[in-house]
Amino acid sequence: MTRWVATPALARACVVAAAGLVGAVALGSPVLVVLAAPFVVPAVLGLAHRPRTTPRLVPDLGTHRLHEGQGIVSGLVVDPPDGVEHVTRVLERPSYVVLSPASGTVGGLVRDGVPEAGIGVTRWGRRTVGAEQVALTGAWAGFRWGPREVPGVSVAVLPQAAAFDSRAEVPQPDGLVGAHRSRRVGSGSEFSGIRGFAPGDRLRRIHWPVSLRTGTLQVVTTRAEQDSGVLVVVDAFRDLGASGGVGGAASSLDLTVRAASALAEHHVRVGDRVGLRVLGPGDARVPLGSGTRHLHRLTGTLARVVPETRRVEDAVPDLGVQGDCVVYVLSPMLHAPVVTATAALAGRGVPVLVIDTLGERDLDELGGPRSRAGLAWRMRRVERDNLLDRLAGLGCPVVPWRGPGTVDEVLHRLARRAQQPRVRAR
Amino acid sequence: MSALRRWSRSAVLARLLVVLLPLVAVAAAGQRPATPFVVVLAALAVAWAIAPESPVGWIVLVLVIGWWGVRVADPLQPTVLLAAAALLGAHVAALLASYGPGRLTIDGPLALLWVRRALLALLVAPVAWAAALGLEGAPDQPALWTVALVTVAGLVLAAALALRQAAGDES
């Protein structure tokens, strides 16, 4: 309803006042005038204050990007506010959205400001928030405009940056500059060794104490500092378990996306070039890049990840690995083609690290360990464990996601292995 | 029932007033009404409280006003002012409850604004009561009733025209 119409309250006041006064005259009963007279005031003033504007409602969320767990204030602009005395807002509550107040309904006098409501999102992804029904009431509750539906606004809810830090060096530093110690000697600052002076060495590199002790000029050599390419592969073929949003139970895709976000943020912060490949609907690919803008692109892509709902073909996916880089495969490892692609990559000598994002699944949700579903799940787990053992046998470490320090030990091992001569299978 | 459980306290309070105040208006007469009348009135008041915007509201109010005019032995006793206040209170309580769904908390400043407006509207009742008392002992004046009838008819016509114009302008 998009016009001002008389409210039932105004109609009631008019009917009671008219009935009382007409009855008093018709029956000659003055008491009816006494009882009906107070209704004349709201009836007359309600009629007199009919608004003559056509209001326009503009939702005001303030932002189109936020992290899961964050909240925003949903405002509303009523333009023009002339003649509007009261605003009632009833907000819709989609999945993974919490409202404040919990009822999602707010109302207040316009002279105190249009009432605001709090909206919080509890899970990453694209969410449409702020859809609501709005009703405006004129002075003396005489006329009402609406309820009118105000469409929601689509916001990108970025995955919560899970607590993650790593002090391990990545095993394949291959850029020009960066924070990782190179395998090659260069013009960095980290000590590598001391050797005899050779033509071309810079004089400031001469180490005078050793030179005096040995009687020949000795120079300090340092390691170059390089950045590294990191490719994060996200398996969105499956989403196992129910998601309770941030702070609640995590589905496998929750763990995957949050871990991918944490890894991407960590590596971008230390100056690495990070790429992203999403296996699943949309087939998103973000090339290697660095910097804050690139990090926003990565997290924005992660926020758009949706799980595959159709039947997935058994074709081995192309992980899109180009050049030397470290590959993180974040997956519950339940889809055989993903395991095959990972094994093929490891066989090519690419440093691959599988981060198991299956998480802990409660068998009680499946009816207990002795139920049919529970038994089937346990058998599936045995098959999966067997596959992961074979993958580890190919030199591809598999670690469950545990937050900070998840990959340190494995990266140290990969870095040590990268120093050794190797044969690549092509 | 689950919808009723989600009602805010203020909405429940307003609806309680919608149920109780028409009964208070009847009780103010100081005489025992017929039991069927009270039962019907209570049932209608409950229906009005559940749906504050339904036409049941004006049926309840007209029913009480009519009962005062027809059945009360001494209608111009001072407690008629209490009855007038109770009826207007029921109207305002229903109005406050109809600003939004039951789970909407009625805004404090809004409630205060309507209490002030109700008190302002109630000022008319003592004036009308005093005028009615003054005219009660006076000899019958047919011209006065004719003028009153024409005035009321004019007011009703003006209200009807205003309502119709309001709807017509926007459509």
Side-chain angles (χ1 to χ4, degrees), chain A residues 73-113:
Chain A
V73 173
S74 166
L76 182 75
V77 177
V78 180
D79 182 36
D82 306 335
V84 180
E85 183 180 82
H86 186 271
V87 178
T88 303
R89 304 174 63 193
V90 180
L91 280 88
E92 281 180 22
R93 190 173 58 185
S95 308
Y96 304 111
V97 169
V98 290
L99 301 173
S100 173
S103 65
T105 56
V106 286
L109 294 167
V110 171
R111 70 174 187 210
D112 301 331

Side-chain angles (χ1 to χ4, degrees), chain B residues 24-126:
Chain B
V24 170
V26 171
Q31 66 181 58
R32 187 182 169 80
T35 307
F37 171 75
V38 175
V39 171
V40 169
L41 182 68
L44 289 173
V46 169
W48 185 21
I50 291 169
E53 299 211 315
S54 68
V56 178
W58 58 262
I59 294 174
V60 170
L61 297 174
V62 169
L63 208 61
V64 176
I65 292 174
W67 181 80
W68 264 87
V70 177
R71 295 284 180 190
V72 178
D74 178 17
L76 285 179
Q77 57 186 299
T79 53
V80 72
L81 295 176
L82 176 62
L87 291 178
L88 188 68
H91 168 73
V92 168
L95 187 152
L96 286 172
S98 66
Y99 267 101
R103 57 182 193 273
L104 172 70
T105 303
I106 295 170
D107 195 27
L110 177 73
L112 206 61
L113 176 73
W114 272 103
V115 168
R116 285 204 304 270
R117 285 176 175 175
L119 291 174
L120 176 73
L122 264 179
L123 288 178
V124 184

Side-chain angles (χ1 to χ4, degrees), chain A residues 173-193:
Chain A
D174 65 344
L176 297 175
V177 290
H180 299 290
R181 192 175 57 180
S182 168
R183 294 198 298 273
R184 290 185 289 275
V185 171
S187 57
S189 57
E190 185 158 345
F191 178 78
S192 173

Side-chain angles (χ1 to χ4, degrees), chain A residues 233-251:
Chain A
V233 177
V234 166
D235 175 2
F237 284 131
R238 297 278 187 280
D239 187 14
L240 298 161
S243 172
V246 69
S251 70

Side-chain angles (χ1 to χ4, degrees), chain A residues 104 111 114-115 119 155 157 164 166 175 205 207 213 215 248 250 313 328 339 356-357 365:
Chain A
R111 70 174 187 210
V114 176
I119 298 177
V155 294
V157 183
F164 177 77
S166 171
R205 293 277 186 185
H207 194 274
R213 204 162 50 241
E313 291 178 12
Y328 291 113
V339 183
D356 177 10
T357 55
E365 291 174 10

Side-chain angles (χ1 to χ4, degrees), chain A residues 260-331:
Chain A
S261 173
L263 285 168
E265 184 169 341
H266 167 74
H267 283 290
V268 168
R269 296 264 182 255
V270 298
D272 293 330
R273 287 166 295 119
V274 181
L276 178 67
R277 170 87 168 89
V278 179
L279 304 175
D283 198 33
R285 294 165 193 252
V286 179
L288 294 175
S290 58
T292 308
R293 282 174 66 99
H294 187 70
L295 178 61
H296 286 164
R297 188 179 169 192
L298 291 169
T299 50
T301 306
L302 285 170
R304 285 192 294 275
V305 169
V306 287
E308 182 63 87
T309 50
R310 295 171 302 172
R311 181 180 161 74
V312 182
E313 291 178 12
D314 284 341
V316 178
D318 171 25
L319 299 186
V321 177
Q322 293 171 340
D324 283 338
C325 64
V326 181
V327 180
Y328 291 113
V329 178
L330 295 105
S331 167

